[in-house]
Amino acid sequence: MKVVSLALPLPLFREFSYLVPPSWIDRVKVGSLVEVEFHKRRLIGLVHAFEEKDTHELKPIIRVVPVSPWMEKRIALVEKLAQMYFAPFGEVASLFFPPLLRSLWPLLERRAFLVRDLPGWNGFPPGGMNLFLFRETFGLSASSLRKLFRDGIFRTEEEDWQPREVIFGERVFRFWRIALREERMEWFKGLIANASGERKKALLIFPDFQSLDTFEVFLRSEFPEKQIVKYDSRLSATRRMVVYRLVEESQYEIILGTRLALFLPIPDVYLYVLFDPEAQGHYSEKTPHYHALQILYENVQQRGGTLHVVGVVPSLWIYHRLCRGEFQEGDFGHSRLVRTKKVKTIALEKKRQQPAIAPSVRESIARALARGEKVLVWVQKTGYAAALGCRDCGFYYLCSDCEVALRYHLDFKILFCPLCGKKVKPDDVCPRCRGTFWEGWGEGIEKIYEELQKYFPKNRLLRVDSESPWKESPKEILEFPGIVVGTSGMLKEDLLRGSALLVVLSFEDWLYLSDFNARDEFYGELHRALWLMGTDAQSTPQVLIQGSSEAIARVARFLKPWRTFYGESLQKRKALCYPPFFCLVRVMGESRNKNRCILVLNSLRSIMEENGVGVTGPFPGAGLRRRGKWTEELDFNFEEERLKEVFELFSCWMVSVERERIQWRFEVYR
C-alpha cells in the first residue's frame, strides 16, 4: 500500500503520513487534496509527497476531494510563501483550499453531457459541464435535474480531473502612477483592448468592496461580451464554489476580487493588476500575515506574466525594486494636472487645559466652511486621550501586562490597552492620592470631535474611525457639507477630491510610533492625500500641519519628492541591516514559566549563531506578563538569499520544541 505525506491546516511545522486505500490508488497524486481523520476531526490535507514507510498503525485516507490536483508551480508558490512568512506549509496551503461543502461533493464528482439536441439546449459545451456547475448555471432543482437524466436528454460520467497550467516566458513588473478613478478606468480599458487580440486573461485585485463594485459596473458596461467573474468574502460558500469551478475550467476572461481571489486556481492568467498597494485591505491580519502584492509578485516569478501595480505614490518596497530594475515605471500620459497645494505648518506647544486645535487652525476651518467647502481633520489616535491621569499627583493608568499607558475611550467610559486590548474601568478617585480630578493626556479622535462640536455647533460633523465607521453612501459622502474628522481610514478618494482644507493634527504622533515602517507608511498616506485633495474643489486646496515645535522642524523632510525621501530611508535601512536589504524575524513566546521560555529561545539563538545569523535577545517582549504568562522575544536577521536555508533551520527547531508548553507568535519583515 502507498503512503503519502500530507500537509494539514495546523500550526505545526511538520507533515503527517497516511495510507492510500486501493479504492483511491488511481486518484491520489502529488498535489491532490484529500480528507483524513486527525484526532477525531476531519481535515483536508494536501498530498506533498509519496513515502517509503512502515504502514503499521497508519490511518487511511477517507476520500479524495473532487477538485483538480495542484500543479508543480502552485505547490512551489506555497512553499515559497511559507518561507517568506515563516509559517507552516499546511497553514499556507489551506489558504488555497476551495470552500469545503461536503454535501456538494457527489455533484462535483460527475460531469454532464448532452445526448439529444433539443430547443433551449443549443450551444451546450460539447465537452460537457461539471454536474454541480450545470445545476447552478441553469438554476435547476434536484427533481428537474433527475428528470433530465431520466428522460435521456443528458447523461453523466465520472469527472476526469486533468489539471492544466500555462507557463509564460516573460516576467514584467510595472508601477503606474494613476490617481483618479476615471483615469484608472480609461487606462484599464486600453489595457484590456490590447490584450483581447492576444486572448490574455486578467486578474484584478482591489483593497475594498466599494472600488471593486464600481469597477465591476464599469467593466460589464464596457465589455458586455466578456466572461467576467467576481470573487470576494460576501459570496456564499455555494457561490464561491461556482466561481472556483468556473476558474478551474478556464471559463472566464476577467476575474475581479479582493485579496481572497489570489487563491483561486487560476491556470492561464497573464495580466495581474493590483490597485492601491498601500491600502490596509491588501494585508491579512490573521496568520499567516501575507500581503497581496507580495503574493502576486511571487506568482509572476513562478509562472510568468505581467504584474501592473496602480497607485499614487510607490511604497518603499516598490521603490527598492524600481532602483534594482525589477520594476519599470509606466507612463500613462493622460493624468489630470495636480493643482498646487498650499502647505502651512503651525507650532502648538501643549499645555494643561489648552485646546487641542490652534486658534489659527480654527480660523482656517471657519473660512472654508463659510465658502461652503468640506474640511478634513486627520487624527492619528482612536479614543479620547492617550492616557488618563490624576491632576493632583500625576498618577496614570498602565496596562499590568504590557506596561504601556491605557488609552481612555469616553464613548465606553473605559480604558483600553493599545497593544493587547485589555479593558480596565477607571476608579472614581485616584488610587494613589485619593484625588477626584481626572485629566486626559494627549488627543484622540473623540476629544478632537468634541472640541470641534464646541467651536462649530451649527455645522455638520462626521466622525470616521474603527469605532465609528461611516455608513453613508458614496453620493452622501460627496455631498456632505461640513467637517469630517477621522483616522487614516477617512482618506478616501471621494472625500479628498471634494475637500479644500486638510488639517493634520498632532504631527508628532506619527513620528514616535514604535513600528520602524510607520514613517514611510505615513509619507505614502500624506502624499496620496496631497495628490487627490481638492481635485474637484473650486478654490486652491490648503493643508495645515499642526504639531510641537520639535516635530514641525521635521515636516520639511516629509514634503520631499518620493525619490529623495525613499532614497534617504534606504540608506539608513542598509546601514542598520533592516528590510528590504535584510529579512527581520521576531519570535515571541508566551509561557507561564519565564525561565523555561528563555532557555528554549536560547537554543534557537545558538542554532542561528552557529550558522552565521545575527541574533538579538532573548529579552522581555511587548506584553511582559499577560494573563499570568510571561512574554519573551528573540529577533534575528539575515540576507534575502539565505531565506530557504534559515527557514529550514527554524522549522527543524520548531519541531524539536513542539511539546514545550509555549505559545509562539511570529512577525516577519522583508
Side-chain angles (χ1 to χ4, degrees), residues 39-72:
H39 288 209
K40 299 182 180 180
R41 292 186 295 164
R42 288 200 172 186
L43 299 177
I44 303 300
L46 171 69
V47 177
H48 199 193
F50 285 92
E51 296 181 309
E52 295 290 337
K53 195 171 185 178
D54 183 11
T55 61
H56 182 62
E57 294 185 353
L58 289 182
K59 293 181 180 179
I61 288 172
I62 298 174
R63 67 184 301 180
V64 179
V65 180
V67 295
S68 296
W70 293 8
M71 297 293 286
E72 180 182 351

Side-chain angles (χ1 to χ4, degrees), residues 62-102:
I62 298 174
R63 67 184 301 180
V64 179
V65 180
V67 295
S68 296
W70 293 8
M71 297 293 286
E72 180 182 351
K73 290 294 184 182
R74 199 175 198 201
I75 297 175
L77 174 63
V78 175
E79 290 173 344
K80 184 59 183 291
L81 295 179
Q83 295 167 14
M84 286 169 50
Y85 301 116
F86 274 66
F89 180 83
E91 269 195 339
V92 177
S94 66
L95 296 172
F96 295 80
F97 289 178
L100 301 176
L101 293 173
R102 291 175 173 82

Side-chain angles (χ1 to χ4, degrees), residues 114-361:
L114 182 64
V115 177
R116 292 188 294 160
D117 291 331
L118 292 175
W121 295 108
N122 295 331
F124 192 83
M129 183 182 291
N130 182 265
L131 188 56
F132 163 73
L133 205 56
F134 176 51
R135 187 192 74 174
E136 295 297 321
T137 301
F138 294 98
L140 300 172
S141 63
S143 58
S144 300
L145 198 62
R146 285 194 296 269
K147 187 175 186 304
L148 289 172
F149 294 114
R150 188 170 58 246
D151 294 345
I153 300 173
F154 284 87
R155 64 179 176 83
T156 67
E157 294 181 4
E158 186 177 348
E159 184 70 82
D160 182 20
W161 300 105
Q162 294 296 331
R164 57 188 298 269
E165 191 170 50
V166 180
I167 307 300
F168 300 99
E170 59 180 351
R171 296 171 179 81
V172 180
F173 304 93
R174 283 196 177 94
F175 174 78
W176 299 83
R177 193 174 189 186
I178 310 173
L180 303 182
R181 185 184 300 114
E182 56 268 25
E183 293 175 351
R184 294 179 174 188
M185 291 177 175
E186 181 184 352
W187 167 81
F188 187 72
K189 183 178 177 180
L191 184 70
I192 290 299
N194 293 333
S196 295
E198 302 174 12
R199 298 184 179 181
K200 293 177 178 177
K201 299 186 177 182
L203 169 66
L204 281 67
I205 302 296
F206 298 87
D208 53 60
F209 297 141
Q210 182 182 335
S211 54
L212 168 62
D213 295 341
T214 302
F215 235 86
E216 181 191 16
V217 173
F218 163 74
L219 289 178
R220 292 194 185 279
S221 63
E222 291 290 333
F223 303 101
E225 75 286 355
K226 289 194 174 293
Q227 292 178 292
I228 300 174
V229 295
K230 183 171 72 169
Y231 194 77
D232 61 62
S233 59
R234 294 172 296 180
L235 297 179
S236 66
T238 302
R239 292 306 303 170
R240 288 192 200 184
M241 193 67 232
V242 169
V243 177
Y244 190 94
R245 285 296 298 141
L246 285 171
V247 174
E248 204 170 30
E249 295 195 4
S250 198
Q251 296 184 31
Y252 69 94
E253 290 176 275
I254 301 175
I255 303 173
L256 301 154
T258 54
R259 66 173 188 265
L260 194 66
L262 295 168
F263 309 110
L264 287 170
I266 42 180
D268 51 0
V269 166
Y270 176 82
L271 295 173
Y272 301 89
V273 183
L274 182 133
F275 293 95
D276 298 320
E278 76 287 345
Q280 190 65 23
H282 292 307
Y283 175 77
S284 172
E285 296 181 351
K286 297 181 179 179
T287 305
H289 303 292
Y290 65 85
H291 194 283
L293 174 57
Q294 294 176 351
I295 291 184
L296 287 178
Y297 177 81
E298 293 300 330
N299 195 33
V300 174
Q301 292 282 21
Q302 296 280 354
R303 296 180 53 252
T306 300
L307 170 59
H308 298 282
V309 181
V310 182
V312 180
V313 179
S315 64
L316 182 70
W317 189 90
I318 294 176
Y319 174 73
H320 178 57
R321 281 154 181 78
L322 283 169
C323 294
R324 295 198 306 188
E326 294 180 24
F327 267 75
Q328 304 169 15
E329 195 169 354
D331 181 16
F332 178 51
H334 301 290
S335 295
R336 191 187 304 184
L337 291 175
V338 182
R339 301 176 65 181
T340 303
K341 273 79 173 178
K342 294 181 179 179
V343 180
K344 182 180 178 182
T345 58
I346 298 161
L348 179 68
E349 303 303 332
K350 296 180 181 179
K351 298 179 181 178
R352 180 173 289 184
Q353 302 302 315
Q354 177 182 283
I357 305 175
S360 58
V361 174

Side-chain angles (χ1 to χ4, degrees), residues 391-441:
R391 190 186 302 174
D392 295 331
C393 69
F395 165 85
Y396 63 98
Y397 285 95
L398 286 173
C399 176
S400 59
D401 297 338
C402 307
E403 294 188 339
V404 297
L406 293 174
R407 192 172 295 176
Y408 181 56
H409 290 248
L410 184 64
D411 289 349
F412 306 106
K413 299 291 192 297
I414 204 163
L415 295 154
F416 283 87
C417 175
L419 293 181
C420 68
K422 183 177 182 178
K423 300 177 183 179
V424 176
K425 187 176 180 180
D427 300 290
D428 294 329
V429 297
C430 174
R432 179 189 291 174
C433 70
R434 312 305 294 175
T436 58
F437 296 101
W438 290 114
E439 184 176 13
W441 301 333

